[in-house]
């Protein structure tokens, strides 16, 4: 195992992709990793937290 690519990779709990941990943000609910891409999209909670407590905007 001498991969040079996944040293800093963590699985985003919102979209499931592996992104760099140092570029992501913690879930506002449980603190698990959420990638930068999801953060840019306005995602502040992981999939599990979003399912438990959906965010305020009741968009369809
Ligand atoms: Zn993500
Ligand atoms: Zn969470």
């Amino acid at each position: 195992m001498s991969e040079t690519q996944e040293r800093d990779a963590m699985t985003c709990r919102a979209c499931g992709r592996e992104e760099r941990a140092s570029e992501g943000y913690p879930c506002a609910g449980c603190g698990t990793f959420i990638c930068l891409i999801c953060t840019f999209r306005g995602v502040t909670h992981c999939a599990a937290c979003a399912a438990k407590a959906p965010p305020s905007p009741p968009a369809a």
Side-chain angles (χ1 to χ4, degrees), residues 15-47:
C15 69
R17 302 183 68 165
E18 279 199 353
E19 301 291 344
R20 296 190 64 176
S22 60
E23 295 180 352
Y25 289 86
C27 167
C30 68
T32 197
F33 175 67
I34 293 177
C35 74
L36 192 63
I37 297 166
C38 287
T39 304
F40 279 158
R41 288 176 174 173
V43 177
T44 54
H45 290 73
C46 69

